Amino acid sequence: MPLTASWTALTLAPGVTQTLTRSSHALIAHGGKAYVFGGELKPRTPVDGVLHTIDLSSGQHSSIEPATQTAAVGPAPRVGTALAKVDSALYLWGGRGGKEMKPLSGELWKLNLGNPKDGRWEKLSTKGDQPEERSYHVLTGVPPRTLYLHAGCPPSGRLSTLHSLDLDNLTWRTLKSAPEPARGGTVLASIPSIGSAGSLVRFGGFAGHELGGPLDVYDIAKDEWASVTPSGTEAPPARSVHALLGVPKKKGSDLVAVMFGGERDPAPAELGHDGAGFFRSDVWGLKYGANGEWSWERAVVKDEDVPQERGWFAADVTENGEIVVQGGLNEKNERIGDAWVLKVED
């Protein structure tokens, strides 16, 4: 059976699409809801510091305003940030603020998704090998209690470093760096079923040009990277600011991750971040067979009503393996505010 993809547009309550119009933001799906933070409507201008919530069943929206019990009430508005979820807590690290687009200090913020309405962000004090400040990086949560931080853009250049944070003792650790080139706008999918402690998988990113090529696989237990060329009659072309998300392993299926969209060509050099590039709307499944072989398969999209091509959007996987996609930037240099749910089956 071929791999198939079906899209469902979320019917958002009146005014929600306008409220959530943005790019360069972050999203976490949890408990039937999507949590959105950060982003920009105008280039280099953070849109707000509010945590927005979308009910994935009703399309209703609510805003979680920062609490005011202390002077440091919550994370500052930012673009190019990253969110991760471990257990029922949301974690936020990094990003850029203001016209200068300087990376913000490496503060780690936590919000309990079990009771988010009180808006009580908690700033955590970490120790160990503190990561360099950056934006357009990746933050991935891995069970039982670890965050992984990879790549991104510091004040100058780009990074290929990988750090882990033990959430029990809040200690950062420097791990083996990923294969070059250094990059921003990449992805790092968590695939717990591969390796004794799980694996992280990277494809694409931006290093002055869009990256594609081999799949970079990090074995968590061994602290080792391997670059592999998956089999298959097709391979996804180069891209950045896209989505690659691990999905729950189903019996009888080799599907372990789903990839969607992204930028295929950057904005003209004279425009830089003020302009828009050219984007993709394709959907790919990443498979891992019983023989240990990786393969790509392009999904056949069953619907006529599909999202427009985009990059710089936010996405996450729900508990049942569906992908939530929200916002982004299109080729007309317009920010987008819609939300979709992607289901991939084989």
Side-chain angles (χ1 to χ4, degrees), residues 64-89:
I64 301 173
E65 301 285 349
T68 57
Q69 291 86 352
T70 64
V73 297
R78 62 193 68 198
V79 304
T81 190
L83 290 171
K85 184 190 73 174
V86 174
D87 294 331
S88 60

Side-chain angles (χ1 to χ4, degrees), residues 5-144:
S6 58
W7 286 100
T8 303
L10 286 177
T11 302
L12 300 176
V16 176
T17 299
Q18 182 177 359
T19 298
L20 295 179
T21 297
R22 63 191 63 206
S23 63
S24 299
H25 54 303
L27 179 152
I28 286 294
H30 176 77
K33 296 181 179 180
Y35 297 87
V36 175
F37 186 88
E40 60 187 16
L41 184 56
K42 297 179 180 179
R44 298 182 177 88
T45 303
V47 65
D48 60 38
V50 174
L51 185 65
H52 297 272
T53 304
I54 309 169
D55 188 299
L56 298 178
S57 297
S58 67
Q60 293 296 318
H61 165 267
S62 59
S63 298
I64 301 173
E65 301 285 349
T68 57
Q69 291 86 352
T70 64
V73 297
R78 62 193 68 198
V79 304
T81 190
L83 290 171
K85 184 190 73 174
V86 174
D87 294 331
S88 60
L90 179 153
Y91 296 89
L92 173 73
W93 192 94
R96 299 184 184 191
K99 283 284 186 182
E100 299 81 10
M101 288 291 272
K102 293 180 180 178
L104 298 167
S105 61
E107 298 173 345
L108 180 70
W109 293 89
K110 174 184 177 181
L111 189 138
N112 179 11
L113 294 177
N115 184 25
K117 291 185 179 180
D118 64 5
R120 292 177 185 268
W121 284 99
E122 179 185 3
K123 186 166 68 171
L124 303 178
S125 297
T126 59
K127 55 189 176 181
D129 300 334
Q130 299 289 339
E132 188 173 356
E133 298 165 2
R134 68 192 76 181
S135 59
Y136 297 102
H137 51 289
V138 189
L139 188 68
T140 302
V142 175

Side-chain angles (χ1 to χ4, degrees), residues 24-301:
S24 299
H25 54 303
L27 179 152
I28 286 294
H30 176 77
K33 296 181 179 180
Y35 297 87
V36 175
F37 186 88
E40 60 187 16
L41 184 56
K42 297 179 180 179
R44 298 182 177 88
T45 303
V47 65
D48 60 38
V50 174
L51 185 65
H52 297 272
T53 304
I54 309 169
D55 188 299
L56 298 178
S57 297
S58 67
Q60 293 296 318
H61 165 267
S62 59
S63 298
I64 301 173
E65 301 285 349
T68 57
Q69 291 86 352
T70 64
V73 297
R78 62 193 68 198
V79 304
T81 190
L83 290 171
K85 184 190 73 174
V86 174
D87 294 331
S88 60
L90 179 153
Y91 296 89
L92 173 73
W93 192 94
R96 299 184 184 191
K99 283 284 186 182
E100 299 81 10
M101 288 291 272
K102 293 180 180 178
L104 298 167
S105 61
E107 298 173 345
L108 180 70
W109 293 89
K110 174 184 177 181
L111 189 138
N112 179 11
L113 294 177
N115 184 25
K117 291 185 179 180
D118 64 5
R120 292 177 185 268
W121 284 99
E122 179 185 3
K123 186 166 68 171
L124 303 178
S125 297
T126 59
K127 55 189 176 181
D129 300 334
Q130 299 289 339
E132 188 173 356
E133 298 165 2
R134 68 192 76 181
S135 59
Y136 297 102
H137 51 289
V138 189
L139 188 68
T140 302
V142 175
R145 298 278 298 154
T146 307
L147 295 178
Y148 287 85
L149 172 66
H150 174 55
C153 303
S156 177
R158 300 177 181 91
L159 296 167
S160 58
T161 53
L162 178 68
H163 289 78
S164 66
L165 178 68
D166 185 323
L167 291 172
D168 289 325
N169 57 31
L170 294 178
T171 301
W172 286 106
R173 178 186 170 206
T174 301
L175 304 173
K176 187 173 182 180
S177 292
E180 296 292 329
R183 63 197 70 191
T186 190
V187 290
L188 199 64
S190 172
I191 305 180
S193 61
I194 300 174
S196 61
S199 296
L200 304 174
V201 176
R202 181 183 75 172
F203 179 89
F206 189 77
H209 59 280
E210 314 296 343
L211 297 169
L215 194 70
D216 297 316
V217 181
Y218 176 77
D219 187 308
I220 291 174
K222 297 179 180 179
D223 186 25
E224 291 180 355
W225 288 90
S227 294
V228 298
T229 300
S231 63
T233 57
E234 286 188 282
R239 67 194 65 208
S240 66
V241 291
H242 54 303
L244 176 65
L245 294 159
V247 295
K249 189 81 163 58
K250 295 182 180 179
K251 186 177 180 179
S253 173
D254 293 335
L255 183 69
V256 294
V258 170
M259 185 163 73
F260 163 71
E263 188 174 76
R264 60 181 173 87
D265 292 297
E270 65 272 17
L271 295 179
H273 194 72
D274 290 324
F278 297 91
F279 301 106
R280 303 188 185 279
S281 61
D282 49 350
V283 178
W284 293 82
L286 180 63
K287 296 186 174 184
Y288 185 79
N291 59 358
E293 185 176 62
W294 295 91
S295 62
W296 286 109
E297 183 178 346
R298 183 166 182 161
V300 176
V301 179

